[in-house]
Structures are given as structure tokens and as C-alpha cells.
């Protein structure tokens, strides 16, 4: 509006294909969002930034420039909060949430149709399972769920029928047997 503050910018390759497009926050210097394109002109990434300039979220696309490959959401300090990964057909394959220190808090695996099939909750180290659940094909009905002891050994387990009703509960010794 004032003729001095940059609102947006585009860059092109020598062949005329767009290489990059950006939009700036009100200061005209800090990037608010951007799109990066491959040499063939297909979309590679879309990113949005916090007002302080750190990455807020990102979407990564496959070679066709349309199908998602992955996506991430970041905290204002720049640490990754959540990430999603996708198959070539665009269905979700993995989702994870990270703690502020970067360790994995939980992750979910998805079946061929993109529905949740397994979710694991991790201890503070981000490696040792605290508990996990396996879902049936509908992605909602539990098949089983487990809790693990401090050493990662199985502490208890519950199993469910196809209709979701509880069928069995097991408690284990410290050695997981």
C-alpha cells in the first residue's frame, strides 16, 4: 500500500517455469509463506512461518506436485511438533508427535486405506514404549492394548472382540512373562 513495503515476490527460472513464490509479514522482510517449485514447474513444498521467522508448518509433495509426501507442524521455537507421511497414492502411512526436546511422544501406523492400525506411546527417552494399541480394519475398534513396565517389559494386556467388547485381561510379572 505504501509502495515501499514488499508484500510478495516470485522468482522464475530461465525457461519461464516458476521457481519460488513468497508472501511477507507486514514488515516486508520476514517471510510469512512460500511455495517452492521443481525445475519442471511442479510444486515441491509449501511452507508457512511464524511472525518471528521460524517455520510453522510444511507440506512436501511427490514428483507430480499434487500428491502429499509428508507434512510437519512446528512450534514457535522451530522444534518439530507433529509429522505425517503419506504413500504414493496419497493415503496416510505414519503420524507422530514430538516433545519439545525432540523425542518421540507417540506415533501411529496406518493401514493401506490410511486408517490407524497401531498407536504407540513412548516414555521420556522417546524410544521405550510405555503403551500401545492395535486397531481393527475400521481404524476405530481396538483389537488389543498393552502397557509396559519401566524396562519395556509387558506389564498388562487387554484384548477385545470384533464388536469392541472386552474379552481378556492379562497381568504380567516384571520379566514380562
Amino acid at each position: 500500500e505504501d509502495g515501499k513495503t514488499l508484500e510478495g515476490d516470485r522468482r522464475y527460472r530461465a525457461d519461464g517455469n516458476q521457481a519460488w513464490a513468497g508472501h511477507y509479514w507486514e514488515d516486508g522482510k520476514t517471510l510469512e509463506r512460500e511455495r517452492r517449485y521443481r525445475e519442471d514447474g511442479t510444486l515441491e513444498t509449501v511452507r508457512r512461518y511464524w511472525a518471528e521467522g521460524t517455520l510453522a508448518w510444511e507440506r512436501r509433495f511427490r514428483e507430480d506436485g499434487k500428491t502429499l509426501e509428508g507434512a510437519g507442524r512446528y512450534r514457535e521455537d522451530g522444534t518439530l511438533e507433529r509429522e505425517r507421511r503419506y504413500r504414493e497414492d496419497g493415503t496416510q502411512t505414519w503420524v507422530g508427535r514430538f516433545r519439545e526436546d525432540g523425542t518421540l511422544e507417540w506415533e501411529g501406523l496406518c493401514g493401506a486405506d490410511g486408517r490407524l492400525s497401531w498407536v504407540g506411546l513412548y516414555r521420556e527417552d522417546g524410544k521405550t514404549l510405555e503403551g500401545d494399541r492395535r486397531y481393527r480394519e475400521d481404524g476405530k475398534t481396538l483389537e488389543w492394548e498393552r502397557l509396559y513396565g519401566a524396562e519395556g517389559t509387558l506389564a498388562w494386556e487387554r484384548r477385545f472382540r470384533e464388536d469392541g467388547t472386552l474379552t481378556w485381561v492379562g497381568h504380567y510379572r516384571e520379566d514380562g512373562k
Side-chain angles (χ1 to χ4, degrees):
E1 288 181 13
D2 63 9
K4 299 176 185 175
T5 306
L6 186 62
E7 289 184 9
D9 186 12
R10 292 176 188 229
R11 297 179 190 147
Y12 295 87
R13 292 188 174 80
D15 63 5
N17 279 332
Q18 191 169 353
W20 182 89
H23 189 271
Y24 297 89
W25 286 98
E26 293 174 358
D27 66 4
K29 298 174 185 172
T30 308
L31 198 58
E32 178 187 4
R33 61 185 180 263
E34 70 174 336
R35 291 175 174 259
R36 292 179 185 260
Y37 298 87
R38 293 181 184 87
E39 286 190 32
D40 65 1
T42 58
L43 186 60
E44 185 174 16
T45 58
V46 175
R47 294 179 177 148
R48 182 146 191 151
Y49 296 87
W50 295 102
E52 296 78 26
T54 57
L55 187 59
W57 60 261
E58 172 186 55
R59 291 183 180 148
R60 297 174 307 280
F61 295 88
R62 295 196 179 277
E63 296 292 320
D64 66 4
K66 298 174 186 173
T67 308
L68 273 176
E69 181 176 57
R73 190 169 82 187
Y74 298 79
R75 295 179 186 86
E76 286 189 56
D77 66 2
T79 58
L80 182 62
E81 182 179 358
R82 289 188 181 176
E83 183 178 4
R84 294 177 185 266
R85 297 178 191 152
Y86 299 86
R87 291 180 185 83
E88 288 185 22
D89 66 1
T91 57
Q92 185 173 263
T93 182
W94 184 88
V95 60
R97 181 178 172 96
F98 298 86
R99 295 182 185 89
E100 289 184 24
D101 67 1
T103 58
L104 187 60
E105 184 176 351
W106 63 264
E107 69 177 332
L109 302 176
C110 302
D113 60 0
R115 293 180 182 164
L116 277 176
S117 61
W118 180 85
V119 173
L121 177 66
Y122 292 89
R123 297 193 184 279
E124 295 292 320
D125 66 3
K127 298 174 185 173
T128 307
L129 270 177
E130 184 171 335
D132 62 345
R133 292 178 164 186
R134 178 161 177 87
Y135 293 89
R136 297 197 181 273
E137 287 183 20
D138 65 4
K140 298 176 186 177
T141 307
L142 281 175
E143 185 175 331
W144 52 257
E145 65 181 347
R146 299 171 178 164
L147 279 180
Y148 299 90
E151 299 299 316
T153 57
L154 188 58
W156 70 259
E157 176 181 15
R158 299 190 321 172
R159 295 182 189 166
F160 300 86
R161 294 180 185 91
E162 287 189 30
D163 66 1
T165 58
L166 184 63
T167 184
W168 183 83
V169 176
H171 297 269
Y172 299 89
R173 298 186 308 238
E174 286 186 29
D175 63 4
K177 297 180 183 177

